[in-house]
Amino acid sequence: MAKRFQDRVVCITGAAKGIGRQAALSFAAEGAIIVATDIEADAGQSLVSEIKTAGGRAQFLEHDVTSEEAWAGVIDGIRKDHGHLDVLINNAGIGMTGLAHEMELSLWRKMMAVNVDGVFLGVKHALPLMKAAGKGNIINVSSIAGIRSTANFSCYCATKAAVRSFTK
């Protein structure tokens, strides 16, 4: 039986845990070549080992999505290793609570950098490789919090609304 993503190259940010991890396992089970990125190296390596043990193909790259230099390196590595990128899943994200009038600006900026700038940089750097191949798909992970806000999650909600709007 043919696998739906056989030999497709899928890059997933924030792949070490949660939604990213499950996406990596699911795409790998469908035959995809997984490029898993995260700042959590041990969990990322564990994911890749699990995929390989199950007969899949995967690699892990330690990756800070807020760094444009890091994004350039990830995409250049994909270009060199695989020649193309079929799917980018911008999944990396953080969520911290706090009321807006009590939140430190540094925390606001950190969430914006990871959740919004990381998505922008992924799109910016992946699109040229996808355009060169004449195909590709980008999935930007948002949240219901981008539609319905909650006072104690105002910054997180703002970041997810930004991702939603940027994607549209």
Side-chain angles (χ1 to χ4, degrees), residues 59-78:
Q59 71 181 106
F60 174 75
L61 300 173
E62 194 167 343
H63 177 207
D64 174 359
V65 296
T66 69
S67 166
E68 186 159 16
E69 182 178 281
W71 266 112
V74 166
I75 297 301
D76 190 48
I78 291 169

Side-chain angles (χ1 to χ4, degrees), residues 48-158:
V48 166
S49 293
E50 185 175 343
I51 290 170
K52 288 181 175 180
T53 298
R57 294 171 290 171
Q59 71 181 106
F60 174 75
L61 300 173
E62 194 167 343
H63 177 207
D64 174 359
V65 296
T66 69
S67 166
E68 186 159 16
E69 182 178 281
W71 266 112
V74 166
I75 297 301
D76 190 48
I78 291 169
R79 179 184 295 107
K80 287 177 181 170
D81 292 346
H82 307 288
H84 68 283
L85 175 61
D86 296 292
V87 180
L88 169 64
I89 302 176
N90 275 318
N91 171 69
I94 58 172
M96 294 172 257
T97 61
L99 296 172
H101 68 284
E102 296 173 353
M103 183 177 289
E104 295 291 326
L105 180 59
S106 60
L107 181 60
W108 174 273
R109 287 183 173 157
K110 182 177 181 177
M111 271 195 278
M112 285 290 175
V114 173
N115 296 0
V116 180
D117 297 352
V119 168
F120 162 72
L121 290 170
V123 170
K124 176 183 177 180
H125 288 276
L127 268 178
L129 185 57
M130 290 177 171
K131 281 183 153 189
K135 64 179 181 164
N137 296 280
I138 297 175
I139 299 166
N140 296 325
V141 177
S142 183
S143 166
I144 190 65
I147 299 170
R148 275 192 307 202
S149 191
T150 306
N152 205 35
F153 292 95
S154 59
C155 180
Y156 178 77
C157 295

